[in-house]
Amino acid sequence: MTIKKGFILTTVLSVVTLIAFAQTSPGIIDDEDYQAQLLRQQRKGARIIPTAVPLLMIAPDSRAGSMGDIGAATTPDANSNHWNAAKLAFADKKMQASFTYSPWLRDIAGDIDLAYLSGYYKLNNRSAVGFSLTYFSLGNIQFTDNQGTSLGTYSPNEFAVDVSYSMKLSEYLSASVTGRYIRSDLTQGQNVGTSTTHAANAVAADLGLYYQRDIAADKPQQVAFGVQISNLGNKISYSDDDMISSFLPANLRIGGRYTYDMDQFNKFSFMVDLNKLLVPTPPIRNEDGEVLLGKENNVGILQGVFQSFYDAPDGFSEEFKEINWSVGAEYWYNNLLAVRAGYFYENKLKGDRQYLTMGVGLKYNSLGIDLSYLVPTASHNNNPLKNTLRVSLSFSF
């Protein structure tokens, strides 16, 4: 096992263990004055919401990845299954499939990859079915014990399989439901401390709505709005200890789009997305594990969803910081060449992912190719797709 990749895997396993430990570990000492000071610091400090299988929140395709990870209300394509499957009912092709390849952490290792296969099929003018497969590989890792004895070479991986159904409810409105199976095998049965680990499994569902309407004007224009609630499913665990379990990254995505056809050759689209995790915020606790500020986050799935809107220890201001936003633009020339750009923002106390994105798209007959490039703008410049070129291929039928 290379030192760097071993560090990655160790870090992942440590985070999984600490998620549960943090629910009961002390946070503040007894001395009242010092306790009050620490309480003030913790209220204003970084408080990232921990979730399992972050794979589910990664922008899997190059088109969305070049527009700031936007997808709630973009025009329908083969990758809509991830962003908002309700769009598929408005797709203008009978059938489309897409494949995306993304190198991952290339500054650390050379064989960590993300692959995404997706597509849809129109059943009729009012409904469609979609599918997708997301696969994340950590490459080959050699496990060793504390004495350095080899325990074998393994290939940790995660994947998710989705199936969706989308139907028009009216001329302008559609809805969708998506079922998802998730498997995360990071340890391949290795022991971590005194715990025996195993692959984690989960099932989840997405719900989506999409509204699209042309505007009567001198030049063709269109507005669209989309809402998606994703990854509503059971908690996930890598061991038999029920205390060590984590929420899936349940998420609320809301977005809008405005498209303007300047003439028969030139078309512009402007888009915005807002995202908020539907997962409880970790509270501030005392040394006995009692909640001092915020709400208890060791709760059930549905309670966690509703609680996520009002449980932040620092109140509404912190809830507002938990909303990520993206803006993006897309220009098409003669429906052959696309130029795209976008920006993604996450508050520095909630993860500090901030980056510019850009990309191009080419379409010829039934074949399409999209490229995207990411430029981090946060002070630490730390993003797993930094300086990485992602490629998507699509086929229409």
Side-chain angles (χ1 to χ4, degrees), residues 43 135 198 258 310:
R43 287 185 61 180
Y135 183 82
H198 56 70
Y258 169 73
Y310 61 85

Side-chain angles (χ1 to χ4, degrees), residues 31 35 77 88 107-108 121 127 144 150 154 167-168 187 189 205 211 246 252 261 278 290 336 394:
D31 181 79
Q35 180 178 358
D77 63 10
L88 295 177
D107 291 341
I108 296 178
Y121 178 78
S127 63
T144 59
S150 176
Y154 303 96
M167 181 179 68
K168 287 184 179 180
T187 66
Y211 177 88
S246 309
L252 172 64
D261 286 16
L278 303 179
E290 298 171 341
L336 295 175
S394 62

Side-chain angles (χ1 to χ4, degrees), residues 311-357:
D311 64 351
D314 201 31
F316 177 78
S317 63
E318 184 175 352
E319 294 288 353
F320 186 77
K321 292 183 177 86
E322 292 177 356
I323 300 175
N324 305 329
W325 55 266
S326 305
V327 292
E330 181 179 52
Y331 163 74
W332 276 99
Y333 174 74
N334 201 26
N335 205 34
L336 295 175
L337 171 66
V339 179
R340 306 179 179 108
Y343 182 73
F344 179 93
Y345 176 83
E346 180 178 60
N347 189 274
K348 65 180 180 179
L349 300 180
K350 294 297 179 177
D352 201 20
R353 291 176 298 159
Q354 300 171 29
Y355 45 86
L356 288 168
T357 61

Side-chain angles (χ1 to χ4, degrees), residues 111-300:
D111 59 352
I112 301 179
D113 308 291
L114 176 70
Y116 181 65
L117 176 66
S118 62
Y120 70 84
Y121 178 78
K122 292 289 291 288
L123 299 174
N124 49 53
N125 190 46
R126 298 187 59 85
S127 63
V129 292
F131 73 92
S132 63
L133 168 64
T134 310
Y135 183 82
F136 179 62
S137 171
L138 272 169
N140 295 319
I141 295 181
Q142 183 181 356
F143 287 89
T144 59
D145 59 20
N146 294 333
Q147 286 72 43
T149 303
S150 176
L151 300 176
T153 300
Y154 303 96
S155 301
N157 61 82
E158 296 179 322
F159 69 85
V161 180
D162 302 356
V163 177
S164 65
Y165 176 74
S166 173
M167 181 179 68
K168 287 184 179 180
L169 303 179
S170 69
E171 182 181 357
Y172 308 113
L173 181 68
S174 62
S176 67
V177 59
T178 301
R180 176 172 298 115
Y181 170 71
I182 305 151
R183 181 177 175 84
S184 177
D185 190 0
L186 299 179
T187 66
Q188 308 217 336
Q190 296 296 310
N191 293 331
V192 178
T194 59
S195 299
T196 299
T197 65
H198 56 70
N201 298 274
V203 292
D206 299 352
L207 301 173
L209 287 173
Y210 178 67
Y211 177 88
Q212 173 181 298
R213 185 165 188 171
D214 295 330
I215 301 175
D218 294 339
K219 296 182 182 294
Q221 301 175 62
Q222 188 178 82
V223 293
F225 302 94
V227 179
Q228 184 207 44
I229 298 176
S230 60
N231 302 316
L232 292 174
N234 60 285
K235 290 185 180 181
I236 199 166
S237 176
Y238 294 88
S239 76
D240 293 330
D241 187 349
D242 292 337
M243 288 296 294
I244 308 177
S245 61
S246 309
F247 284 93
L248 293 175
N251 182 74
L252 172 64
R253 176 180 288 111
I254 301 174
R257 170 176 58 88
Y258 169 73
T259 298
Y260 176 64
D261 286 16
M262 298 180 62
D263 52 44
Q264 61 178 333
F265 297 107
N266 300 283
K267 179 169 64 176
F268 285 93
S269 292
F270 302 93
M271 293 143 287
V272 61
D273 269 14
L274 301 176
N275 287 272
K276 188 184 189 307
L277 282 173
L278 303 179
V279 178
T281 305
I284 297 176
R285 303 175 184 271
N286 64 14
E287 65 174 5
D288 297 320
E290 298 171 341
V291 174
L292 295 178
L293 283 176
K295 300 287 185 180
E296 174 61 58
N297 64 335
N298 187 17
V299 296

